[in-house]
Amino acid sequence: MFQKTRIAGPIAAILFVIGIPLSGQTAGPYQETGAQIMSRQRIADLTQGPRQVKPRLVAPRQSRAARPSLPSSAPTANAAPSPGEPQTLGVNFLGANLADTNSFPPDTMGAAGPSQFLVGVNGRIRSFSKATGSTDGGLNADMDVFFNSVRNGQPTSDPRVRYDRVSGRWFVTIVNFADTFSNNRVLVAVSSSATISIGTIWTFSYFQHNLDAPAGDTDLFFDYPTLGLDANALVIGGNIFGTTGAYQGTSVHVVRKSAVVSGGGGDLVTGGNVVAYRNLTGTPDGVGPYSPQGVDNLSASAPTESWVIGVNNVLPVTSELVLRKIIFSAPGAWPPSSISANLTLSVPTTALPLTVPHLGNTGGSAGELDALDDRLFDAKLRDGHIWTAHNIAVDATGAGSDAGDRDGSRWYEIDVTGGAPSLVQSGTLFDTAAANPRFYWIPSVMVSGQGHAAIAASASGATQYVNGVTAGRFASDPAGTLQSPLLFTSSSTAYNPAADPGPPRRWGDYSYTSLDPNDDMTMWTIEEYCNGADSYGVRVVQLIAPAPATPESATPPNIASGLSSVSVVVAGTSAGGSGFFDPGAGYPNRLAALVPNGVTVNSATYTSPTSVTLDLNTVGAAFGPRTVTITNPDGQSRTSPAALLSIGAGGPGPTVTTIIPTAGDAAAATPFQITGTDFVTGAAISIGGVPATGVNVTGASGASATTPALSAGTLNDVTLVNPDTQSGTLFSGWFADFLDVPQADIFHQYVENIFRNGITAGCVAGSYCRDAAVTRAQMAVFLVKTFSLP
């Protein structure tokens, strides 16, 4: 186990001289760019020393004896990564491993942003491209280096990472610890931008957990900090221990979100930007939320309440969850006005989990993997429902039981819109095998805007290596059920790290499944597995949502060309959970549609997973059948297997308003362009009743062609006829030049002007006779006609 040590003395002086920044100098002592952080990381890499790892603090519910080791047997084959439902696997990459974290456990954590995934584990924070799964150079540092300005010279542990769609910022929290285990700090980092780069400014804040009002928990240690993020606040729950390691109960701290987003960093207590709700259990063995989880609120709207949830603290296990509601007087108000009493919810039977066997374990019961206890590992609020998960001991039927011989991952959906929370559904990811069952533990859960859910965890057994696993459910699945689990890693090595002999060997202490902020449908999970001999890795996997429904019909099926707006309802068929979806305003990616060959889609409005209403513009669209393609926000699309729409007659007729040029040689072919409205591909153009050649409708308001041969010295109507026979005419639009006044003649413009005004038709057919004598009578006629000109 290693940690990066601080630089001092001559080395620091040399680095100052050559211009490498030693601390944040962007806008204050608590702000640094990514470049400055990674510059300090390069210095730290030169002077590695032992890394101090926070010991395992054990609450009473973690004292259950480990399950005796099962007899060794031959390994069973692990399933290779392959598509599964309702999510399929996308980008898949290693986020960190034991070699670059040097920590037990990693505290598996990371989240998806607009273009990046940020891994944040003990000993490493690193950004990746979502598109490729490669490190992108935006941030790569030891957590101690990252939080150096606020950690008070002490090591850090227990990170949490979120991307906040509301503010477009990244949030990272962690705690520091010292040998005395008392009065430690909670540290908060916030990015200046949605995209992490070397130019991103990170602002660092902190609070000492015993000092925020009302002060308390003095000389105690705040452990296992959780994080719930909403539009108002950061809700950070945790367990309290004495300096001797004795469990004392739980507390929650609420941080004003605007203060860490827009402030200059530093101590949050001095500005009154954090408040405490202490002693939530009354006594160390009293009723209340154990390991209280702050709840992420996925809504962008500022709430009037934030939530905390945990299993009931009392022992023996009561099969109850306990919620607390933090109340604000108005959206965005500060500070919160109160916290509710315990809101207790009975759930199906639970039991404390067992330590986890794994293939190749050489340490006996001491070498089994830590499942901690029955604490909740994460919690999310969506549409008034909280989704959360934990691991428990179950039997072969999946029922929670103290006599259970395997661990399962239990998940819950809880309605909190009423006066008291109510259980909507719950289910368990478990193995039904009679012998050598697979264990599922350290789970996290997420639900998408479509209502589909995914649970992800670690998976192992006496005959199986340690892998990452996911299982999902469609919104339409029967309550409490999951689809078949899918291993998304394929480990072939045993896990017996000498630096962590147990008992038990550390694992977890949590995982996280996040929702893509671009589309509200793609999920990303990060889970721990064995990535090599005696090494762990944290694997990041994209969970791709089901495809759109297949468009099958349109109502009405026939629409007219030339319409600037016409509504068409497209109905689709769903198979395997496929469906249309739109996340609504505030998301960069939205539902889209394509109707080819000149039809413009003004808008696509989601109605249901099998119905979309399109507003179409058919102006300039050619007649004929059309397919329809619907694209979901995640980029997946489906095209109708046959034409659903037919464009035909019935729209407004065209108009012709200009022609350029306005005149040309009567006998020569002259290229021209016309403008107007409601032109349709396939239209014909004539001049003086004679068809033009080379007609090309370039759009609803433009077309080009070449003039036919015409009688010299004539004004001709220009007519465009759409395929539906509706026509528009520019009367007397084209002047066929006199034979003796071609375009190059210096008098051509004048002759064309007087001709268009009806003054003369020339002297003989086809000729103007510009040089002929003018009689007094002709002059009189000329003058009289000019009186009628405008």
Side-chain angles (χ1 to χ4, degrees):
M1 297 179 289
F2 298 95
Q3 72 173 1
K4 313 298 188 297
T5 59
R6 298 186 300 279
I7 294 179
I11 295 178
I14 293 170
L15 294 171
F16 176 78
V17 170
I18 65 175
I20 299 177
L22 298 179
S23 61
Q25 299 169 6
T26 303
Y30 301 108
Q31 292 182 314
E32 288 185 294
T33 65
Q36 290 172 311
I37 293 166
M38 289 196 290
S39 176
R40 289 191 295 100
Q41 181 63 53
R42 287 191 292 271
I43 298 168
D45 288 339
L46 299 174
T47 55
Q48 279 192 331
R51 177 180 177 81
Q52 186 174 353
V53 177
K54 189 191 71 173
R56 182 177 187 260
L57 299 177
V58 179
R61 62 197 316 109
Q62 292 176 266
S63 61
R64 181 179 180 185
R67 177 193 46 74
S69 296
L70 296 174
S72 176
S73 60
T76 58
N78 285 316
S82 61
E85 292 183 341
Q87 294 88 25
T88 55
L89 302 181
V91 178
N92 183 323
F93 59 91
L94 179 68
N97 60 18
L98 178 58
D100 57 15
T101 66
N102 299 305
S103 296
F104 298 97
D107 288 344
T108 309
M109 179 55 53
S115 62
Q116 296 164 295
F117 191 97
L118 182 60
V119 172
V121 295
N122 287 329
R124 185 60 48 180
I125 183 166
R126 180 183 287 141
S127 61
F128 293 82
S129 164
K130 278 171 34 181
T132 65
S134 301
T135 56
D136 57 17
L139 182 64
N140 189 358
D142 183 286
M143 277 292 189
D144 287 356
V145 172
F146 182 66
F147 279 102
N148 191 62
S149 63
V150 289
R151 66 184 177 92
N152 200 26
Q154 298 173 358
T156 61
S157 186
D158 300 20
R160 303 278 179 165
V161 175
R162 300 289 188 273
Y163 175 76
D164 178 41
R165 185 174 62 86
V166 178
S167 63
R169 310 292 184 92
W170 291 89
F171 290 75
V172 184
T173 64
I174 205 164
V175 293
N176 68 351
F177 63 95
D179 293 338
T180 57
F181 283 97
S182 65
N183 301 335
N184 59 319
R185 291 179 175 182
V186 177
L187 317 178
V188 182
V190 181
S191 70
S192 62
S193 58
T195 300
I196 299 170
S197 70
I198 59 174
T200 297
I201 299 171
W202 291 90
T203 299
F204 297 92
S205 306
Y206 71 93
F207 63 91
Q208 188 169 306
H209 82 92
N210 61 305
L211 297 181
D212 51 319
D217 296 331
T218 303
D219 296 330
L220 301 180
F221 183 75
F222 185 73
D223 188 42
Y224 200 79
T226 67
L227 175 62
L229 186 68
D230 58 38
N232 283 350
L234 287 68
V235 178
I236 301 171
N239 299 326
I240 302 296
F241 290 87
T243 56
T244 62
Y247 174 71
Q248 301 296 311
T250 65
S251 292
V252 167
H253 302 268
V254 183
V255 177
R256 190 176 190 178
K257 182 180 174 184
S258 61
V260 295
V261 169
S262 59
D267 191 355
L268 295 167
V269 173
T270 57
N273 291 312
V274 56
V275 297
Y277 294 101
R278 305 184 187 277
N279 196 23
L280 299 186
T281 62
T283 62
D285 58 357
V287 174
Y290 169 69
S291 294
Q293 281 285 331
V295 178
D296 291 328
N297 188 335
L298 303 181
S299 171
S301 301
T304 56
E305 55 195 33
S306 297
W307 287 91
V308 173
I309 186 171
V311 298
N312 197 341
N313 181 67
V314 301
L315 290 174
V317 171
T318 63
S319 301
E320 292 174 322
L321 305 182
V322 178
L323 296 87
R324 289 286 192 101
K325 180 166 59 175
I326 299 164
I327 301 166
F328 296 84
S329 60
W334 184 261
S337 56
S338 63
I339 188 170
S340 74
N342 290 324
L343 302 171
T344 304
L345 174 68
S346 294
V347 297
T349 302
T350 65
L352 294 174
L354 307 165
T355 53
V356 180
H358 52 103
L359 179 62
N361 172 31
T362 61
S365 60
E368 293 187 338
L369 303 179
D370 194 4
L372 282 77
D373 49 38
D374 61 342
R375 70 188 66 189
L376 301 176
F377 290 110
D378 73 339
K380 285 100 174 182
L381 175 66
R382 173 157 218 140
D383 300 326
H385 290 201
I386 291 176
W387 294 72
T388 188
H390 60 161
N391 45 225
I392 61 173
V394 299
D395 60 23
T397 70
S401 171
D402 286 333
D405 60 351
R406 66 205 71 193
D407 288 341
S409 290
R410 170 75 63 77
W411 57 272
Y412 306 96
E413 180 187 1
I414 303 162
D415 187 345
V416 293
T417 59
S422 62
L423 184 64
V424 177
Q425 60 174 329
S426 66
T428 306
L429 173 61
F430 72 100
D431 188 4
T432 60
N436 293 323
R438 179 184 292 168
F439 285 49
Y440 297 102
W441 86 112
I442 313 291
S444 57
V445 66
M446 178 55 80
V447 61
S448 73
Q450 294 175 286
H452 306 320
I455 188 169
S458 291
S460 179
T463 60
Q464 302 173 50
Y465 295 117
V466 190
N467 278 290
V469 67
T470 183
R473 56 173 279 109
F474 296 119
S476 59
D477 282 345
T481 61
L482 292 171
Q483 301 285 336
S484 298
L486 170 67
L487 296 180
F488 56 77
T489 63
S490 187
S491 177
S492 59
T493 53
Y495 186 72
N496 298 288
D500 182 18
R505 289 195 173 106
R506 302 296 301 276
W507 199 263
D509 275 343
Y510 34 78
S511 65
Y512 196 70
T513 304
S514 59
L515 195 58
D516 198 300
N518 293 331
D519 57 35
D520 199 25
M521 54 191 305
T522 306
M523 301 183 205
W524 296 77
T525 194
I526 180 168
E527 304 296 330
E528 186 177 3
Y529 72 111
C530 183
N531 74 311
D534 303 330
S535 172
Y536 67 74
V538 291
R539 197 80 184 174
V540 178
V541 180
Q542 180 189 36
L543 303 177
I544 300 173
T550 301
E552 293 287 356
S553 65
T555 304
N558 301 302
I559 57 176
S561 68
L563 300 176
S564 61
S565 177
V566 57
S567 181
V568 174
V569 177
V570 175
T573 56
S574 176
S578 65
F580 306 135
F581 177 67
D582 184 76
Y587 288 86
N589 298 352
R590 302 292 300 275
L591 181 74
L594 173 68
V595 181
N597 299 333
V599 177
T600 300
V601 179
N602 297 326
S603 65
T605 303
Y606 169 83
T607 306
S608 75
T610 55
S611 180
V612 173
T613 300
L614 305 182
D615 186 85
L616 304 179
N617 182 331
T618 62
V619 174
F623 286 10
R626 300 289 197 284
T627 58
V628 175
T629 300
I630 304 294
T631 302
N632 270 348
D634 65 350
Q636 295 187 83
S637 63
R638 287 291 182 269
T639 300
S640 59
L644 303 186
L645 281 172
S646 182
I647 311 297
T655 63
V656 182
T657 54
T658 65
I659 183 170
I660 300 173
T662 59
D665 190 325
T670 302
F672 66 90
Q673 294 83 38
I674 62 172
T675 61
T677 62
D678 300 307
F679 297 175
V680 174
T681 301
I685 299 174
S686 62
I687 298 181
V690 182
T693 59
V695 177
N696 179 31
V697 176
T698 57
S701 59
S704 62
T706 301
T707 59
L710 299 167
S711 298
T714 57
L715 276 175
N716 299 275
D717 296 341
V718 179
T719 300
L720 180 140
V721 182
N722 275 340
D724 62 356
T725 72
Q726 296 186 90
S727 64
T729 299
L730 175 63
F731 295 100
S732 300
W734 179 263
F735 176 49
D737 291 339
F738 286 108
L739 297 175
D740 56 349
V741 189
Q743 289 280 310
D745 192 284
I746 61 173
F747 293 108
H748 180 278
Q749 177 181 348
Y750 304 102
V751 171
E752 181 180 346
N753 285 343
I754 64 174
F755 190 87
R756 286 182 176 278
N757 285 283
I759 294 177
T760 178
C763 59
V764 295
S767 295
Y768 184 68
C769 303
R770 49 166 285 188
D771 297 322
V774 179
T775 66
R776 292 179 63 85
Q778 288 171 324
M779 185 177 295
V781 171
F782 176 85
L783 293 173
V784 169
K785 285 187 175 182
T786 61
F787 297 154
S788 64
L789 294 178

